[in-house]
Amino acid sequence: MDLDDHVAGGFAEHVRKYPPALIELPDITAGTPDPGKEPRSRLVPLLFTDDQGRPVHDQRWSDLWRTWRKAAGWPDEGTFHYLRHYFATRLITSGADPTDVQNALRHSSLRITLETYVHWWPKKDRRRNIISTALRDASARRRTGSTSQSSH
């Protein structure tokens, strides 16, 4: 998903202040290693680090998240995972296509996205009178003698 100028600028400023740190992580891209073999590892750039360029451990992240959540005026009971749901619902209520939401969340199937978030897609856009509209259009075409179909 493309970043808008404001978000891209925020990331650029973050990277300027805190350059990504290379850390060694297990490489699971080729699947799990054979039993008894050491897992392969690889160096990856970590975007979010502490002031010394080290990975942010889970307790520190929780402290940071609590501070940021409070500053944003979000509820105290919100977990970091709530941010994922917030992102998804913002996409949906802003008119994003379901497959774009699926891709942004990296769901393995559209079904997962729809089953999780279907109640967030605006109901006002769901047509309840599809058949009556088609019949009215057909009747109007018959009255005017037009054979072209109207676009929806």
Side-chain angles (χ1 to χ4, degrees):
M1 182 168 262
D2 293 329
L3 299 178
D4 64 38
D5 292 342
H6 179 76
V7 174
F11 273 115
E13 177 67 13
H14 173 81
V15 169
R16 187 186 64 70
K17 283 183 178 177
Y18 309 100
L22 285 177
I23 63 164
E24 191 171 344
L25 290 178
D27 185 354
I28 59 170
T29 57
T32 55
D34 294 330
K37 282 192 171 182
E38 277 294 310
R40 289 185 292 171
S41 62
R42 63 185 169 134
L43 288 176
V44 296
L46 186 63
L47 184 60
F48 298 105
T49 59
D50 67 12
D51 292 341
Q52 286 78 45
R54 298 175 305 207
V56 177
H57 60 81
D58 57 347
Q59 184 57 51
R60 178 66 177 136
W61 182 256
S62 293
D63 293 342
L64 291 169
W65 174 240
R66 189 174 11 268
T67 301
W68 297 333
R69 192 180 61 227
K70 186 173 185 171
W74 292 352
D76 288 340
E77 64 275 1
T79 64
F80 183 70
H81 189 74
Y82 283 17
L83 190 57
R84 178 178 171 84
H85 293 300
Y86 174 77
F87 174 62
T89 57
R90 289 296 300 205
L91 289 174
I92 293 164
T93 58
S94 297
D97 185 85
T99 55
D100 291 336
V101 177
Q102 173 200 354
N103 292 332
L105 297 175
R106 297 181 185 246
H107 286 157
S108 60
S109 72
L110 182 58
R111 180 179 179 171
I112 292 169
T113 307
L114 293 174
E115 286 178 353
T116 305
Y117 296 104
V118 69
H119 58 283
W120 284 100
W121 265 276
K123 288 181 175 74
K124 66 182 178 183
D125 292 339
R126 296 180 193 162
R127 304 285 304 261
R128 294 181 185 202
N129 58 350
I130 292 171
I131 300 300
S132 62
T133 299
L135 292 173
R136 276 194 296 276
D137 290 348
S139 179
R141 280 192 305 275
R142 193 182 74 218
R143 279 193 302 275
T144 63
S146 170
T147 57
S148 65
Q149 293 185 1
S150 63
S151 61
H152 294 280

